[in-house]
């Protein structure tokens, strides 16, 4: 197993290097450092003067020093590969530099955003896993029953609903209309960030946190459950038709024991793999959910940096999310071996 | 992670209690005689206390207001205007001396411009240190001589600041600067020398600062999420009625509207975009839209054929139904909106005149002008001359609904008048950083967002400001209009210290512009206030606009009902 893990990590290194080169080249080829000035309200005569003078050009030196952009320091003259090496060698040492736009340490912004996204992922994945497995098992065990049809139908609805639409509908229903229905003057569920600034004390803060989490987690969960429950149902159906399940049933084992002890464990293997891969993608993939619910997570950070053309902040973001995708791919492989002893990792 | 687990244990318990949540507010009442910067106001009884949450469409990049990172207007709207002292306040009726001064500053115009500010002895920082003339000097020094400064205009024309008397700042200019009231205030403010001098100002301020000389001070700034203001107990002026004000950063327009409807935010200040009327008519909502200082226009490159012909530019003026454009864009938001008739908006007051009102849709005038200039319509209905068709290219920024719609309407209108039009959306950096300065465009569609109602526009019309190597390509006369008759009034407006003479210059300049047509003014942007008037009131009687600092500059007059 250890050999396998070491080898997989070794395989990941060139993948990550290639990813780093590609993101660097593409980001520099396509980014617009001045895009934030597209908003006319910010585009004062004075700002334009600054633009024309080139004071917002991309600087090179600031990868390390963190100084704000200066006219004299432009990266546009250096060859791309030289810039790439300069950036990568510092990134590998953990020096991500400061944002071109805010002047803040990129690593600090990433940490803060990562924490928020992680909260969504943890709750979303936990709830999704519980619901998906329950629905998948129920649908498989009672194949072609009314509950199966209902869950199958709902899965398709969940898969086909755009996240932004579901999120806004959820806000309207559970934040606006539910409060009106219950005649309360404050939303039962919040749609703005992860906490209120006025909640003090552990219990009120926890309650406030739950009320903030409910809708974004529900939005995140709907599509995940729709997808994972289909995997689980399919996998469970395969296992339930296997000989060893028939044998266990023939031996007179209780049905509950057959399903949960013998069938479910094996049926989880494909789902766990899919889950691991999906979770890796979630670290950078909650753009819409975070935007709608004004949560400053990785997705929101990405949008903001992209809008600002802040390549200094974009590059570490892309690399961190790439690392997570690779990491969870590795985890999927390892879990596959752990869950199924028949698979020999050599 | 541990904290999350701990919180998770409570989830099932707390869910039961969700419906029972209520908000408690303190309820003492005060009647405050108000002296609004906007002039006389109604005295309204106000409850004291209460926490409110407001929406902010953008987050400031940093809070070092003079640094190159501090360009975002929302930093001014939310924090700067409520924490930084100003010598003069911009109001929608012009500049007025702030209570930081004992009265209007003394202006001497000859032999050199000298402005003397008399500082109110009651004016103090939140640590009770007096605001002194040395703060003025420090502010000037930082802006005029600092590195990575957002904009040094005006400050770089100051020769010296005399701070001999701590209560009197004497500012001597090297060259006349008519917009001097915008200095030591505006989007910058005055900086506390006793806290910052000799230190790294940018490092101390960029992530938020603890000092204040406004009605509020920063409680915390959680990046990406919110900035919270609490009252400054030592503010010498009108104190806050509210216990705290939290601005939540909501960058998604649809989400902001939902957050408003659900009561999670009590006010928003949305940008003028088609569809911005969504909250108009919402129960208990004060929705007010009036034309502000900003406006959109078509900008013609007069060096590019066929726009090098005045007749063609005038013909385009008569080919454009500007009223139809403005109505389609903003009538649902502001029913009484009209196209502007000069390169100012009515919010500029006396500087606004109406010389462009002659340009209404008149296809007969188009025909007369074009034929008189030697053009003839081809079989496709497009004007042509010497084998060249009058097909124009309009460049604008990508991803802006308002501009997309404007360009599409123009395409239809001009087609009917015999002009072809192609639309090229560009990234802002390419348009403003490259194509406009270098003259690589025929027509630009973009906005002017003046910082105040100063009538000086030499920067965009004077021939000396045509981008050239001589001026480091930094001139803003991107239309490249070069006319001595036009230079005269705009140059004078930039140097004359007589306000009335400057207004006359601006009107004369506007009249000449309407003849030369280097640009065609279109729509003034509605300045939109959306406020939950069931829950919020203002001691000013009604909620006030401020086209420069935003409506939250009057937060200290707001109260929770």
């Amino acid at each position: 197993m250890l050999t396998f893990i070491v080898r997989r990590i070794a395989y990941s290194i060139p993948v990550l290097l290639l990813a780093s080169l590609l993101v660097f080249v593409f980001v520099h080829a396509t980014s617009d450092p001045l895009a934030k000035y597209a908003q006319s309200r910010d585009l004062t005569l004075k700002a334009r003067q600054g633009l024309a003078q080139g004071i917002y050009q991309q600087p090179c030196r600031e990868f390390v020093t963190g100084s704000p952009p200066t006219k004299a320091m432009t990266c546009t003259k250096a060859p791309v590969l030289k810039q790439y090496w300069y950036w990568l060698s510092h990134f590998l040492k953990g020096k991500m530099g400061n944002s071109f736009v805010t002047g803040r340490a990129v690593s600090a912004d990433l940490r803060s955003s990562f924490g928020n996204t992680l909260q969504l992922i943890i709750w979303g994945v936990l709830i999704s896993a519980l619901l998906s497995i329950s629905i998948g098992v129920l649908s498989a065990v009672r194949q072609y029953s009314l509950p199966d049809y209902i869950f199958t139908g709902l899965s398709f609805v969940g898969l086909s609903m755009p996240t932004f639409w579901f999120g806004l509908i959820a806000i309207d229903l559970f934040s606006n209309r539910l409060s009106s229905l219950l005649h309360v003057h404050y939303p039962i569920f919040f749609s703005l960030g992860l906490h209120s600034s006025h909640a003090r004390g552990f219990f009120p803060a926890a309650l406030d946190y739950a009320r903030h989490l409910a809708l974004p987690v529900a939005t995140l969960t709907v599509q995940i459950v729709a997808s994972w429950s289909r995997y689980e149902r399919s996998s469970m159906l395969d296992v339930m038709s296997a000989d060893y399940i028939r044998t266990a049933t023939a031996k007179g084992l209780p049905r509950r024991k057959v399903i949960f002890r013998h069938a479910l464990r094996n049926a989880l293997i494909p789902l766990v793999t899919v889950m691991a891969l999906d979770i890796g993608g979630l670290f950078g993939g909650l753009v819409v959910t975070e935007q709608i619910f004004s949560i400053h997570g990785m997705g929101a950070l990405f949008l903001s940096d992209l809008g600002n053309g802040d390549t200094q902040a974009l590059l570490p973001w892309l690399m961190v999310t790439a690392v997570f995708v690779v990491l969870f791919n590795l985890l999927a492989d390892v879990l596959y071996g752990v869950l199924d002893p028949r698979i020999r990792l050599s | 992670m541990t904290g999350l687990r701990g919180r998770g244990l409570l989830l099932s318990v707390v869910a039961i209690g969700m419906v029972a949540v209520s908000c408690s507010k303190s309820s003492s009442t005060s009647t405050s005689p108000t002296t609004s910067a906007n002039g006389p106001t109604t005295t309204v009884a106000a409850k004291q206390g209460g926490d409110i949450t407001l929406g902010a469409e953008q987050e400031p990049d940093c809070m070092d207001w003079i640094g190159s990172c501090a360009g975002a207007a929302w930093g001014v709207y939310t924090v700067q205007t409520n924490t930084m002292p100003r010598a003069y306040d911009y109001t929608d009726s012009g500049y007025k001396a702030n209570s930081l001064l004992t009265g209007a500053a003394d202006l001497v115009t000859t032999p050199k411009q000298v402005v003397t500010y008399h500082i109110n002895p009651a004016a103090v920082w939140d640590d009770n240190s007096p605001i002194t003339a040395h703060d003025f000097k420090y502010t000037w020094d930082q802006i005029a001589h600092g590195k990575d400064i957002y904009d040094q205009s005006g400050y770089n024309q100051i020769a010296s600041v005399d701070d001999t008397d701590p209560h009197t700042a004497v500012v001597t200019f090297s060259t006349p600067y008519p917009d001097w009231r915008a200095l030591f205030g505006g989007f910058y403010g005055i900086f506390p020398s006793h806290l910052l001098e000799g230190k790294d100002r940018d490092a101390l301020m960029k992530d938020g600062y603890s000092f204040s000389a406004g009605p509020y001070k920063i409680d915390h700034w959680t990046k990406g999420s919110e900035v919270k203001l609490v009252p400054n107990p030592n503010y010498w002026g009108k104190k806050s009625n509210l216990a705290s004000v939290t601005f939540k950063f909501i960058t998604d327009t649809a989400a902001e509207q939902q957050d408003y409807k659900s009561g999670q935010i009590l006010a928003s200040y949305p940008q003028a975009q088609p569809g911005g009327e969504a909250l108009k008519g919402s129960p208990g909502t004060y929705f007010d839209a009036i034309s502000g200082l900003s406006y959109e226009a078509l900008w013609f490159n007069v060096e590019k054929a066929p726009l090098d012909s005045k007749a063609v530019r005038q013909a385009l003026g008569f080919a454009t139904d500007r009223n139809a454009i403005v109505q389609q864009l903003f009538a649902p938001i502001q029913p009484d909106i009209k196209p502007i008739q000069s390169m100012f908006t009515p919010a500029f007051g006396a500087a606004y005149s109406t010389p462009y009102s002659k340009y209404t849709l008149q296809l007969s005038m188009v025909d007369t002008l074009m034929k008189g200039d030697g053009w003839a319509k081809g079989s496709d209905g497009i004007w042509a001359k010497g084998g060249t068709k009058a097909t124009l290219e309009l460049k604008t920024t990508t991803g802006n609904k308002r501009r997309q719609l404007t360009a599409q309407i123009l395409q239809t209108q001009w087609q009917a008048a015999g002009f072809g039009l192609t639309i090229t959306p560009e990234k802002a950096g390419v348009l403003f950083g490259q194509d406009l300065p270098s003259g690589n465009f025929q027509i630009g569609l973009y906005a002017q967002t003046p910082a105040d109602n100063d009538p000086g526009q030499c920067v965009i019309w004077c021939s000396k400001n045509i981008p050239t190597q001589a001026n480091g390509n930094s001139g803003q006369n991107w239309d490249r209009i070069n006319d001595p008759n036009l230079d005269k009034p705009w140059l004078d407006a930039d140097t004359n210290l007589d306000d009335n003479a400057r207004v006359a210059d601006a009107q004369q300049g506007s009249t000449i512009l309407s003849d030369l047509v280097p640009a065609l003014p279109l729509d003034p942007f509605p300045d939109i206030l959306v406020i939950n008037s069931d829950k919020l009131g203002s001691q000013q009687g009604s909620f006030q606009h401020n086209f420069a600092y935003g409506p939250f500059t009057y937060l200290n007059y707001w109260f929770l009902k």
Side-chain angles (χ1 to χ4, degrees), chain B residues 315 363 366-368 370-371 375-378 380-385 388-391 414 417-420:
Chain B
L363 295 183
V366 176
D367 288 350
T368 306
M370 292 300 282
K371 284 175 184 170
W375 296 78
K377 273 191 179 172
D380 57 357
I382 301 295
W383 295 102
K385 179 181 173 182
T388 305
K389 285 189 175 184
T391 298
W414 286 5
F419 295 97

PDB file of all heavy atoms in Angstrom, chain B residues 315 363 366-368 370-371 375-378 380-385 388-391 414 417-420:
ATOM      1  N   ALA B 315     -24.561  64.899 -38.378  1.00  0.00           N
ATOM      2  CA  ALA B 315     -25.599  64.022 -38.945  1.00  0.00           C
ATOM      3  C   ALA B 315     -25.908  62.872 -37.987  1.00  0.00           C
ATOM      4  O   ALA B 315     -27.067  62.478 -37.820  1.00  0.00           O
ATOM      5  CB  ALA B 315     -25.133  63.485 -40.306  1.00  0.00           C
ATOM      6  N   LEU B 363     -34.376  62.941 -39.733  1.00  0.00           N
ATOM      7  CA  LEU B 363     -33.697  62.285 -40.859  1.00  0.00           C
ATOM      8  C   LEU B 363     -33.487  63.254 -42.023  1.00  0.00           C
ATOM      9  O   LEU B 363     -32.533  63.093 -42.805  1.00  0.00           O
ATOM     10  CB  LEU B 363     -34.496  61.057 -41.304  1.00  0.00           C
ATOM     11  CG  LEU B 363     -34.576  59.923 -40.259  1.00  0.00           C
ATOM     12  CD1 LEU B 363     -35.328  58.724 -40.817  1.00  0.00           C
ATOM     13  CD2 LEU B 363     -33.176  59.500 -39.796  1.00  0.00           C
ATOM     14  N   VAL B 366     -30.257  64.815 -41.493  1.00  0.00           N
ATOM     15  CA  VAL B 366     -29.188  63.868 -41.815  1.00  0.00           C
ATOM     16  C   VAL B 366     -28.908  63.927 -43.313  1.00  0.00           C
ATOM     17  O   VAL B 366     -27.750  64.041 -43.753  1.00  0.00           O
ATOM     18  CB  VAL B 366     -29.577  62.430 -41.401  1.00  0.00           C
ATOM     19  CG1 VAL B 366     -28.502  61.429 -41.830  1.00  0.00           C
ATOM     20  CG2 VAL B 366     -29.816  62.344 -39.898  1.00  0.00           C
ATOM     21  N   ASP B 367     -29.990  63.860 -44.092  1.00  0.00           N
ATOM     22  CA  ASP B 367     -29.834  63.887 -45.555  1.00  0.00           C
ATOM     23  C   ASP B 367     -29.142  65.175 -46.001  1.00  0.00           C
ATOM     24  O   ASP B 367     -28.211  65.152 -46.817  1.00  0.00           O
ATOM     25  CB  ASP B 367     -31.216  63.796 -46.235  1.00  0.00           C
ATOM     26  CG  ASP B 367     -31.804  62.399 -46.096  1.00  0.00           C
ATOM     27  OD1 ASP B 367     -31.057  61.490 -45.657  1.00  0.00           O
ATOM     28  OD2 ASP B 367     -32.992  62.218 -46.397  1.00  0.00           O
ATOM     29  N   THR B 368     -29.610  66.289 -45.469  1.00  0.00           N
ATOM     30  CA  THR B 368     -29.039  67.578 -45.870  1.00  0.00           C
ATOM     31  C   THR B 368     -27.539  67.635 -45.552  1.00  0.00           C
ATOM     32  O   THR B 368     -26.714  68.011 -46.399  1.00  0.00           O
ATOM     33  CB  THR B 368     -29.769  68.718 -45.123  1.00  0.00           C
ATOM     34  OG1 THR B 368     -31.163  68.578 -45.366  1.00  0.00           O
ATOM     35  CG2 THR B 368     -29.300  70.077 -45.590  1.00  0.00           C
ATOM     36  N   MET B 370     -25.393  65.169 -44.887  1.00  0.00           N
ATOM     37  CA  MET B 370     -24.575  64.172 -45.575  1.00  0.00           C
ATOM     38  C   MET B 370     -24.408  64.524 -47.055  1.00  0.00           C
ATOM     39  O   MET B 370     -23.305  64.432 -47.602  1.00  0.00           O
ATOM     40  CB  MET B 370     -25.196  62.776 -45.422  1.00  0.00           C
ATOM     41  CG  MET B 370     -25.156  62.237 -44.003  1.00  0.00           C
ATOM     42  SD  MET B 370     -23.480  62.085 -43.339  1.00  0.00           S
ATOM     43  CE  MET B 370     -22.906  60.590 -44.129  1.00  0.00           C
ATOM     44  N   LYS B 371     -25.494  64.924 -47.683  1.00  0.00           N
ATOM     45  CA  LYS B 371     -25.394  65.303 -49.102  1.00  0.00           C
ATOM     46  C   LYS B 371     -24.492  66.529 -49.257  1.00  0.00           C
ATOM     47  O   LYS B 371     -23.685  66.613 -50.184  1.00  0.00           O
ATOM     48  CB  LYS B 371     -26.790  65.578 -49.669  1.00  0.00           C
ATOM     49  CG  LYS B 371     -27.587  64.289 -49.936  1.00  0.00           C
ATOM     50  CD  LYS B 371     -29.009  64.592 -50.373  1.00  0.00           C
ATOM     51  CE  LYS B 371     -29.805  63.295 -50.523  1.00  0.00           C
ATOM     52  NZ  LYS B 371     -31.243  63.552 -50.703  1.00  0.00           N
ATOM     53  N   TRP B 375     -21.806  62.986 -49.652  1.00  0.00           N
ATOM     54  CA  TRP B 375     -22.179  61.583 -49.512  1.00  0.00           C
ATOM     55  C   TRP B 375     -23.451  61.294 -50.298  1.00  0.00           C
ATOM     56  O   TRP B 375     -24.294  62.172 -50.481  1.00  0.00           O
ATOM     57  CB  TRP B 375     -22.423  61.223 -48.036  1.00  0.00           C
ATOM     58  CG  TRP B 375     -21.204  61.347 -47.173  1.00  0.00           C
ATOM     59  CD1 TRP B 375     -20.666  62.501 -46.682  1.00  0.00           C
ATOM     60  CD2 TRP B 375     -20.372  60.286 -46.712  1.00  0.00           C
ATOM     61  NE1 TRP B 375     -19.545  62.233 -45.933  1.00  0.00           N
ATOM     62  CE2 TRP B 375     -19.342  60.871 -45.938  1.00  0.00           C
ATOM     63  CE3 TRP B 375     -20.362  58.915 -46.872  1.00  0.00           C
ATOM     64  CZ2 TRP B 375     -18.344  60.127 -45.332  1.00  0.00           C
ATOM     65  CZ3 TRP B 375     -19.383  58.164 -46.265  1.00  0.00           C
ATOM     66  CH2 TRP B 375     -18.373  58.751 -45.512  1.00  0.00           C
ATOM     67  N   ALA B 376     -23.572  60.065 -50.737  1.00  0.00           N
ATOM     68  CA  ALA B 376     -24.796  59.635 -51.411  1.00  0.00           C
ATOM     69  C   ALA B 376     -25.144  58.239 -50.925  1.00  0.00           C
ATOM     70  O   ALA B 376     -24.242  57.441 -50.622  1.00  0.00           O
ATOM     71  CB  ALA B 376     -24.593  59.634 -52.922  1.00  0.00           C
ATOM     72  N   LYS B 377     -26.435  57.963 -50.853  1.00  0.00           N
ATOM     73  CA  LYS B 377     -26.851  56.647 -50.369  1.00  0.00           C
ATOM     74  C   LYS B 377     -26.687  55.592 -51.453  1.00  0.00           C
ATOM     75  O   LYS B 377     -27.058  55.812 -52.606  1.00  0.00           O
ATOM     76  CB  LYS B 377     -28.306  56.678 -49.898  1.00  0.00           C
ATOM     77  CG  LYS B 377     -28.456  57.092 -48.438  1.00  0.00           C
ATOM     78  CD  LYS B 377     -29.859  56.868 -47.936  1.00  0.00           C
ATOM     79  CE  LYS B 377     -29.948  57.276 -46.480  1.00  0.00           C
ATOM     80  NZ  LYS B 377     -31.324  57.254 -45.981  1.00  0.00           N
ATOM     81  N   GLY B 378     -26.144  54.452 -51.101  1.00  0.00           N
ATOM     82  CA  GLY B 378     -25.996  53.355 -52.039  1.00  0.00           C
ATOM     83  C   GLY B 378     -27.272  52.528 -52.098  1.00  0.00           C
ATOM     84  O   GLY B 378     -28.263  52.840 -51.434  1.00  0.00           O
ATOM     85  N   ASP B 380     -27.824  49.783 -50.887  1.00  0.00           N
ATOM     86  CA  ASP B 380     -28.117  49.147 -49.588  1.00  0.00           C
ATOM     87  C   ASP B 380     -28.617  50.151 -48.553  1.00  0.00           C
ATOM     88  O   ASP B 380     -28.837  49.798 -47.390  1.00  0.00           O
ATOM     89  CB  ASP B 380     -26.870  48.428 -49.068  1.00  0.00           C
ATOM     90  CG  ASP B 380     -25.673  49.361 -48.938  1.00  0.00           C
ATOM     91  OD1 ASP B 380     -25.809  50.563 -49.311  1.00  0.00           O
ATOM     92  OD2 ASP B 380     -24.610  48.919 -48.477  1.00  0.00           O
ATOM     93  N   GLY B 381     -28.779  51.404 -48.964  1.00  0.00           N
ATOM     94  CA  GLY B 381     -29.305  52.407 -48.045  1.00  0.00           C
ATOM     95  C   GLY B 381     -28.256  53.021 -47.143  1.00  0.00           C
ATOM     96  O   GLY B 381     -28.572  53.819 -46.262  1.00  0.00           O
ATOM     97  N   ILE B 382     -26.993  52.657 -47.347  1.00  0.00           N
ATOM     98  CA  ILE B 382     -25.906  53.188 -46.515  1.00  0.00           C
ATOM     99  C   ILE B 382     -25.202  54.305 -47.281  1.00  0.00           C
ATOM    100  O   ILE B 382     -24.930  54.174 -48.473  1.00  0.00           O
ATOM    101  CB  ILE B 382     -24.888  52.069 -46.164  1.00  0.00           C
ATOM    102  CG1 ILE B 382     -25.589  50.929 -45.419  1.00  0.00           C
ATOM    103  CG2 ILE B 382     -23.731  52.614 -45.341  1.00  0.00           C
ATOM    104  CD1 ILE B 382     -26.135  51.280 -44.062  1.00  0.00           C
ATOM    105  N   TRP B 383     -24.887  55.372 -46.573  1.00  0.00           N
ATOM    106  CA  TRP B 383     -24.181  56.490 -47.192  1.00  0.00           C
ATOM    107  C   TRP B 383     -22.793  56.032 -47.660  1.00  0.00           C
ATOM    108  O   TRP B 383     -22.150  55.204 -46.994  1.00  0.00           O
ATOM    109  CB  TRP B 383     -23.999  57.645 -46.208  1.00  0.00           C
ATOM    110  CG  TRP B 383     -25.279  58.289 -45.762  1.00  0.00           C
ATOM    111  CD1 TRP B 383     -25.919  58.108 -44.582  1.00  0.00           C
ATOM    112  CD2 TRP B 383     -26.079  59.213 -46.505  1.00  0.00           C
ATOM    113  NE1 TRP B 383     -27.069  58.854 -44.523  1.00  0.00           N
ATOM    114  CE2 TRP B 383     -27.189  59.556 -45.704  1.00  0.00           C
ATOM    115  CE3 TRP B 383     -25.964  59.786 -47.779  1.00  0.00           C
ATOM    116  CZ2 TRP B 383     -28.181  60.424 -46.118  1.00  0.00           C
ATOM    117  CZ3 TRP B 383     -26.956  60.672 -48.189  1.00  0.00           C
ATOM    118  CH2 TRP B 383     -28.060  60.982 -47.361  1.00  0.00           C
ATOM    119  N   ALA B 384     -22.386  56.576 -48.803  1.00  0.00           N
ATOM    120  CA  ALA B 384     -21.055  56.249 -49.334  1.00  0.00           C
ATOM    121  C   ALA B 384     -20.457  57.493 -49.988  1.00  0.00           C
ATOM    122  O   ALA B 384     -21.178  58.377 -50.467  1.00  0.00           O
ATOM    123  CB  ALA B 384     -21.151  55.114 -50.349  1.00  0.00           C
ATOM    124  N   LYS B 385     -19.133  57.537 -49.947  1.00  0.00           N
ATOM    125  CA  LYS B 385     -18.434  58.695 -50.551  1.00  0.00           C
ATOM    126  C   LYS B 385     -17.064  58.216 -51.008  1.00  0.00           C
ATOM    127  O   LYS B 385     -16.308  57.640 -50.197  1.00  0.00           O
ATOM    128  CB  LYS B 385     -18.288  59.794 -49.498  1.00  0.00           C
ATOM    129  CG  LYS B 385     -17.574  61.049 -49.970  1.00  0.00           C
ATOM    130  CD  LYS B 385     -17.495  62.024 -48.793  1.00  0.00           C
ATOM    131  CE  LYS B 385     -16.664  63.234 -49.108  1.00  0.00           C
ATOM    132  NZ  LYS B 385     -16.551  64.128 -47.955  1.00  0.00           N
ATOM    133  N   THR B 388     -16.101  54.732 -50.149  1.00  0.00           N
ATOM    134  CA  THR B 388     -16.081  54.349 -48.734  1.00  0.00           C
ATOM    135  C   THR B 388     -17.482  54.454 -48.147  1.00  0.00           C
ATOM    136  O   THR B 388     -18.163  55.476 -48.320  1.00  0.00           O
ATOM    137  CB  THR B 388     -15.140  55.276 -47.935  1.00  0.00           C
ATOM    138  OG1 THR B 388     -13.867  55.244 -48.562  1.00  0.00           O
ATOM    139  CG2 THR B 388     -15.026  54.808 -46.496  1.00  0.00           C
ATOM    140  N   LYS B 389     -17.901  53.386 -47.491  1.00  0.00           N
ATOM    141  CA  LYS B 389     -19.226  53.395 -46.890  1.00  0.00           C
ATOM    142  C   LYS B 389     -19.161  53.984 -45.487  1.00  0.00           C
ATOM    143  O   LYS B 389     -18.140  53.876 -44.799  1.00  0.00           O
ATOM    144  CB  LYS B 389     -19.773  51.967 -46.806  1.00  0.00           C
ATOM    145  CG  LYS B 389     -20.238  51.434 -48.136  1.00  0.00           C
ATOM    146  CD  LYS B 389     -20.967  50.113 -47.948  1.00  0.00           C
ATOM    147  CE  LYS B 389     -21.541  49.640 -49.269  1.00  0.00           C
ATOM    148  NZ  LYS B 389     -22.314  48.431 -49.122  1.00  0.00           N
ATOM    149  N   ALA B 390     -20.284  54.558 -45.091  1.00  0.00           N
ATOM    150  CA  ALA B 390     -20.365  55.135 -43.735  1.00  0.00           C
ATOM    151  C   ALA B 390     -20.728  54.033 -42.733  1.00  0.00           C
ATOM    152  O   ALA B 390     -21.763  54.067 -42.077  1.00  0.00           O
ATOM    153  CB  ALA B 390     -21.402  56.251 -43.705  1.00  0.00           C
ATOM    154  N   THR B 391     -19.861  53.059 -42.668  1.00  0.00           N
ATOM    155  CA  THR B 391     -20.039  51.989 -41.674  1.00  0.00           C
ATOM    156  C   THR B 391     -19.042  52.225 -40.551  1.00  0.00           C
ATOM    157  O   THR B 391     -17.839  52.302 -40.782  1.00  0.00           O
ATOM    158  CB  THR B 391     -19.811  50.603 -42.315  1.00  0.00           C
ATOM    159  OG1 THR B 391     -20.785  50.418 -43.340  1.00  0.00           O
ATOM    160  CG2 THR B 391     -19.973  49.500 -41.286  1.00  0.00           C
ATOM    161  N   TRP B 414     -29.436  54.016 -36.444  1.00  0.00           N
ATOM    162  CA  TRP B 414     -28.497  54.523 -37.453  1.00  0.00           C
ATOM    163  C   TRP B 414     -28.665  53.804 -38.794  1.00  0.00           C
ATOM    164  O   TRP B 414     -28.418  54.387 -39.841  1.00  0.00           O
ATOM    165  CB  TRP B 414     -27.050  54.394 -36.938  1.00  0.00           C
ATOM    166  CG  TRP B 414     -26.750  55.420 -35.886  1.00  0.00           C
ATOM    167  CD1 TRP B 414     -27.616  56.316 -35.337  1.00  0.00           C
ATOM    168  CD2 TRP B 414     -25.489  55.656 -35.252  1.00  0.00           C
ATOM    169  NE1 TRP B 414     -26.985  57.089 -34.397  1.00  0.00           N
ATOM    170  CE2 TRP B 414     -25.669  56.702 -34.316  1.00  0.00           C
ATOM    171  CE3 TRP B 414     -24.234  55.082 -35.359  1.00  0.00           C
ATOM    172  CZ2 TRP B 414     -24.649  57.190 -33.516  1.00  0.00           C
ATOM    173  CZ3 TRP B 414     -23.207  55.565 -34.561  1.00  0.00           C
ATOM    174  CH2 TRP B 414     -23.405  56.619 -33.647  1.00  0.00           C
ATOM    175  N   ALA B 417     -31.057  55.591 -40.674  1.00  0.00           N
ATOM    176  CA  ALA B 417     -30.568  56.893 -41.154  1.00  0.00           C
ATOM    177  C   ALA B 417     -29.475  56.739 -42.214  1.00  0.00           C
ATOM    178  O   ALA B 417     -28.958  57.739 -42.718  1.00  0.00           O
ATOM    179  CB  ALA B 417     -30.041  57.703 -39.989  1.00  0.00           C
ATOM    180  N   GLY B 418     -29.103  55.501 -42.512  1.00  0.00           N
ATOM    181  CA  GLY B 418     -28.110  55.280 -43.564  1.00  0.00           C
ATOM    182  C   GLY B 418     -26.688  55.063 -43.065  1.00  0.00           C
ATOM    183  O   GLY B 418     -25.736  55.196 -43.828  1.00  0.00           O
ATOM    184  N   PHE B 419     -26.544  54.734 -41.768  1.00  0.00           N
ATOM    185  CA  PHE B 419     -25.207  54.447 -41.221  1.00  0.00           C
ATOM    186  C   PHE B 419     -25.140  52.982 -40.779  1.00  0.00           C
ATOM    187  O   PHE B 419     -26.030  52.504 -40.085  1.00  0.00           O
ATOM    188  CB  PHE B 419     -24.908  55.336 -40.005  1.00  0.00           C
ATOM    189  CG  PHE B 419     -24.822  56.792 -40.328  1.00  0.00           C
ATOM    190  CD1 PHE B 419     -25.925  57.618 -40.144  1.00  0.00           C
ATOM    191  CD2 PHE B 419     -23.654  57.341 -40.818  1.00  0.00           C
ATOM    192  CE1 PHE B 419     -25.859  58.970 -40.438  1.00  0.00           C
ATOM    193  CE2 PHE B 419     -23.579  58.703 -41.111  1.00  0.00           C
ATOM    194  CZ  PHE B 419     -24.688  59.520 -40.931  1.00  0.00           C
ATOM    195  N   GLY B 420     -24.076  52.328 -41.183  1.00  0.00           N
ATOM    196  CA  GLY B 420     -23.853  50.979 -40.666  1.00  0.00           C
ATOM    197  C   GLY B 420     -23.115  51.076 -39.333  1.00  0.00           C
ATOM    198  O   GLY B 420     -22.369  52.032 -39.095  1.00  0.00           O
TER     199      GLY B 420
END
